Amino acid sequence: MTDTPGIVVTGASGRMGQMLVREVSASPDCHLVAALEREDSDWIGRDVGTAMGGAELGVTVTSDALEAFARAQAVIDFTAPAATVEFAALAAQARAVHVIGTTGLSGDDLKKIDAAAHHAVIVRAGNMSLGVNLLVELTRKVSQALGEAFDIEIVEAHHKAKVDAPSGTALMLGEAAAEGRGVALDDVADRGRDGMTGPREAGAIGFSAIRGGDIVGEHDVLFAGAGERIVLRHVATDRGIFARGALRAALWGQDKRPGQYSMADVLGL
């Protein structure tokens, strides 16, 4: 087991954290070296397996990120922006691959992550699934082919507990659509409409966010032209797709040079 890469899962008590713990523990290609939680979590000091309601895994939940990262070859991180920025610096010190699935990162956050990537491998994506990353590539190509003759709207739906909008995946799709047209997303994004907004601006890329129930993740990219529409769609029904993609990224990054990579790099798209 110790010949395989050791992986730290951050935010181990969360939905994605628990999914990642299960995925890493079940894989013959790596082993779980630590499970990380906040200092005030009631999981601290407990075996992560029994804390999850299952059998012991021999890994005690800790809040000591520095010590955990020092023993790891990779860190998989689906937490919150402030925590992720801190983890990026620590993972860089440890020269561990840092897989970031955290969304809602600000421009300042991204600058700090870019700085950490000078010293270690960082794989960052708003969505880790194979299907979504294929959708991103399709969106870029369709946008390039159709040009501004077709209006672009991105509609995303997630569970009611999601705190950021638009989703990281929706923004990935918006970036791809903007790249296809050769423009910057910040210059054309329309993130909210309410009241007397007037007619749609030519060239705008619109976003709509739906929140409710236990929706795992749904994303539609609508290209609306005169007399016809094209809809590209991805529906996630199992969070396991994100965990499996993140683990694939952690293993892929083991022999790569320091720098920031995307899931398109991991998948060779």
Side-chain angles (χ1 to χ4, degrees):
M1 176 182 291
T2 54
D3 291 335
T4 62
I7 294 181
V8 175
V9 172
T10 67
S13 70
R15 280 180 297 186
M16 272 306 303
Q18 294 187 47
M19 187 75 72
L20 287 162
V21 167
R22 293 189 183 97
E23 198 69 33
V24 171
S25 299
S27 174
D29 300 319
C30 60
H31 64 282
L32 184 67
V33 73
L36 204 64
E37 258 302 334
R38 298 185 308 272
E39 288 183 355
D40 60 351
S41 171
D42 59 8
W43 282 38
I44 298 296
R46 300 171 61 189
D47 183 275
V48 68
T50 57
M52 289 167 47
E56 288 190 4
L57 293 176
V59 174
T60 301
V61 180
T62 179
S63 62
D64 191 341
L66 182 61
E67 188 278 334
F69 290 9
R71 297 185 285 116
Q73 283 71 55
V75 177
I76 304 181
D77 176 20
F78 286 72
T79 53
T84 291
V85 168
E86 179 181 346
F87 293 151
L90 294 176
Q93 289 180 35
R95 301 299 188 264
V97 175
H98 187 190
V99 178
I100 300 175
T102 302
T103 58
L105 295 160
S106 69
D108 285 342
D109 295 334
L110 294 175
K111 288 178 182 178
K112 292 173 182 176
I113 290 170
D114 286 342
H118 287 104
H119 307 287
V121 172
I122 293 178
V123 181
R124 186 178 67 83
N127 193 300
M128 297 284 175
S129 87
L130 171 61
V132 160
N133 283 278
L134 288 172
L135 178 62
V136 169
E137 292 303 310
L138 288 171
T139 297
R140 182 179 292 107
K141 290 181 179 180
V142 173
S143 176
Q144 182 178 22
L146 297 178
E148 290 192 12
F150 282 68
D151 299 321
I152 302 175
E153 293 287 324
I154 298 171
V155 182
E156 55 100 342
H158 285 86
H159 55 88
K160 61 185 179 183
K162 187 169 179 61
V163 298
D164 60 309
S167 69
T169 303
L171 293 173
M172 284 173 61
L173 293 166
E175 291 281 3
E179 287 172 11
R181 287 183 171 177
V183 297
L185 180 60
D186 286 345
D187 294 336
V188 296
D190 186 350
R191 298 196 182 188
R193 302 186 183 106
D194 185 36
M196 297 296 293
T197 61
R200 190 184 198 282
E201 290 188 19
I205 296 176
F207 291 86
S208 299
I210 297 168
R211 297 290 178 267
D214 61 355
I215 301 170
V216 173
E218 299 179 5
H219 294 86
D220 292 280
V221 184
L222 168 67
F223 296 86
E228 59 182 333
R229 292 188 299 275
I230 299 168
V231 181
L232 305 178
R233 179 166 228 229
H234 181 271
V235 177
T237 58
D238 175 11
R239 285 185 179 80
I241 62 174
F242 310 130
R244 290 189 287 275
L247 178 55
R248 181 169 175 173
L251 297 175
W252 175 88
Q254 291 302 307
D255 60 352
K256 302 302 182 293
R257 295 175 61 85
Q260 189 165 175
Y261 301 87
S262 69
M263 280 302 290
D265 296 314
V266 174
L267 300 171
L269 297 176

